[in-house]
Amino acid sequence: ENKLGHLMHLIFYVLLFAQPVFGVLMTQFAGYDVSFFGLFNLPVFVSENEGFGDAMHEAHEITGIVLVLGITLHALAGLKHHFINKDRTLLRMLRGK
C-alpha cells in the first residue's frame, strides 16, 4: 500500500503538469492565444490545426476525469485506513509527515 501511495503521488504530479499543457495546446491549435490569469497572453506558437486541437481537447478532458477519480480514490483510501484499519495513516497525511 505504501508503494501504491507513492506511485499515486507520482501519477498526480504527471497529470497536474499534463492537464494545463493539454489545455494550452488545445486553445493554441484552435488559433487562440491563452490568457495567463489576465496578467499577459501567451502568443500562439503552433499552426491552427483542428485535428490536433480535438485530440488535445480529448486529452485535457481525460486527464481531468482521471485526476478527479484518482483524488477521490486517494481520499477514500485515507478514510479506509482511519476507520477500518484504525491506523495513523490519515493523521500522518493531514500533518504532512
Side-chain angles (χ1 to χ4, degrees):
E1 288 178 344
N2 196 22
K3 288 181 182 179
L4 188 60
H6 288 298
L7 175 64
M8 198 67 201
H9 288 167
L10 177 64
I11 292 169
F12 284 153
Y13 287 124
V14 169
L15 291 174
L16 287 169
F17 175 77
Q19 174 76 5
V21 169
F22 290 142
V24 167
L25 289 173
M26 169 185 69
T27 305
Q28 297 262 317
F29 280 120
Y32 301 106
D33 57 351
V34 177
S35 175
F36 190 77
F37 300 107
L39 299 173
F40 59 90
N41 289 345
L42 297 174
V44 177
F45 57 88
V46 295
S47 300
E48 192 171 331
N49 186 315
E50 186 177 343
F52 281 135
D54 290 344
M56 292 299 106
H57 184 265
E58 286 293 317
H60 185 69
E61 283 186 353
I62 290 168
T63 54
I65 291 167
V66 172
L67 270 168
V68 168
L69 291 174
I71 291 167
T72 301
L73 288 173
H74 200 66
L76 289 172
L79 293 171
K80 175 231 176 221
H81 275 279
H82 189 72
F83 293 109
I84 295 173
N85 295 10
K86 305 221 184 276
D87 62 20
R88 300 185 51 75
T89 301
L90 182 62
L91 297 174
R92 284 192 345 258
M93 288 168 56
L94 293 174
R95 291 189 190 128
K97 295 181 180 180

